[in-house]
Amino acid sequence: MKNILKEKNIVSIILKELSKYGNIPNDGFLCGGAVANTLMKLKWGGDYPVNDLDIFVETKNYRSTTTPNRTDRLSMSASYFHLNASYNHGNMYRIVSSDRDGMINIVKVFRENRGKSKNFFYILKGFDLNCTQVGIDLRSGELLYTKEFESFLNDKQLKVVAPYTPSHTAVRLFKKIDELGCYCDVDGQMKLLSQPFNNHSMIRYSRSYTGIFAMFFGIKYK
């Protein structure tokens, strides 16, 4: 399949393959590694693991959590105490809970703000690596993917696309290299992940410190 993403029955093929891991509901957004690795297997052959099936659903019930906002464009806002910097594509969201049943993982997300996106595309834009930015809207049966994922599917070149949790992403980067057997400019990607913003007016290593750009990423992680 040269252009597998455009295949007429590709969604049905993916769902049939993944249904053996659990009962997939008729609503929500099935996305991430399970869908991506199934496409990699169909495109390239070989063995690409399915660790779980992440299904994202929106909730209007806000609950304060320590999880970072997921987003992909840099935005800045000034408060009384300090400057806040984060990535913002117009639809920041936060994971508020995750409930697992076997291989099925139901992830509830709360939109911090609502932009132009009327579908689940904003969730993909909050994924940190290009190799996971693909998913299926289970209600409409639509396959959604970013141009970054399309490039990865064709050239197997792993890249960081949203470095809002640099230390966490660095760990995931090496796990994905090993899992997918893909190419990655490690030095270039680690250089990117080593340059987050930091708030010098706060105590860096106290328990209360969260920084203004996710977690502080020091040389020891690199």
Side-chain angles (χ1 to χ4, degrees), residues 181-196:
C182 54
Y183 171 75
C184 180
D185 175 13
V186 173
D187 288 342
Q189 297 305 293
M190 293 301 287
K191 184 176 180 180
L192 170 65
L193 291 171
S194 297
Q195 300 180 61

Side-chain angles (χ1 to χ4, degrees), residues 97-156:
S97 69
S98 178
D99 299 306
R100 192 178 184 110
D101 182 11
M103 292 281 284
I104 304 292
N105 187 32
I106 303 297
V107 183
K108 291 185 178 180
V109 298
F110 177 83
R111 286 207 213 186
E112 295 286 342
N113 63 324
R114 291 181 176 270
K116 297 180 180 180
S117 179
K118 295 181 180 180
N119 55 28
F120 288 112
F121 192 79
Y122 74 94
I123 289 179
L124 297 182
K125 298 294 285 184
F127 286 178
D128 56 349
L129 301 175
N130 63 345
C131 64
T132 59
Q133 290 186 317
V134 60
I136 297 171
D137 184 330
L138 295 173
R139 176 177 291 183
S140 67
E142 182 181 8
L143 180 69
L144 302 175
Y145 54 89
T146 65
K147 62 181 181 180
E148 290 82 5
F149 174 77
E150 186 173 12
S151 294
F152 171 78
L153 186 62
N154 289 324
D155 61 24
K156 294 186 180 180

Side-chain angles (χ1 to χ4, degrees), residues 31-184:
C31 56
V35 177
N37 287 6
T38 300
L39 283 165
M40 288 290 286
K41 182 178 180 180
L42 292 170
K43 171 78 174 180
W44 297 100
D47 184 25
Y48 293 91
V50 174
N51 301 316
D52 52 26
L53 276 63
D54 289 328
I55 300 174
F56 284 63
V57 295
E58 287 188 3
T59 177
K60 295 181 179 180
N61 297 321
Y62 175 79
R63 181 169 63 86
S64 179
T65 69
T66 57
T67 59
N69 281 327
R70 293 194 172 201
T71 180
D72 77 333
R73 292 182 186 172
L74 183 64
S75 65
M76 294 186 178
S77 62
S79 68
Y80 181 78
F81 295 104
H82 57 269
L83 176 70
N84 289 310
S86 65
Y87 272 77
N88 179 14
H89 55 69
N91 285 99
M92 288 192 296
Y93 67 96
R94 185 184 298 270
I95 292 176
V96 297
S97 69
S98 178
D99 299 306
R100 192 178 184 110
D101 182 11
M103 292 281 284
I104 304 292
N105 187 32
I106 303 297
V107 183
K108 291 185 178 180
V109 298
F110 177 83
R111 286 207 213 186
E112 295 286 342
N113 63 324
R114 291 181 176 270
K116 297 180 180 180
S117 179
K118 295 181 180 180
N119 55 28
F120 288 112
F121 192 79
Y122 74 94
I123 289 179
L124 297 182
K125 298 294 285 184
F127 286 178
D128 56 349
L129 301 175
N130 63 345
C131 64
T132 59
Q133 290 186 317
V134 60
I136 297 171
D137 184 330
L138 295 173
R139 176 177 291 183
S140 67
E142 182 181 8
L143 180 69
L144 302 175
Y145 54 89
T146 65
K147 62 181 181 180
E148 290 82 5
F149 174 77
E150 186 173 12
S151 294
F152 171 78
L153 186 62
N154 289 324
D155 61 24
K156 294 186 180 180
Q157 182 163 321
L158 183 63
K159 293 181 180 180
V160 175
V161 289
Y164 57 87
T165 53
S167 56
H168 178 259
T169 296
V171 174
R172 279 173 43 77
L173 189 75
F174 285 101
K175 290 177 69 176
K176 286 296 183 180
I177 292 172
D178 183 57
E179 178 182 287
L180 302 176
C182 54
Y183 171 75
C184 180

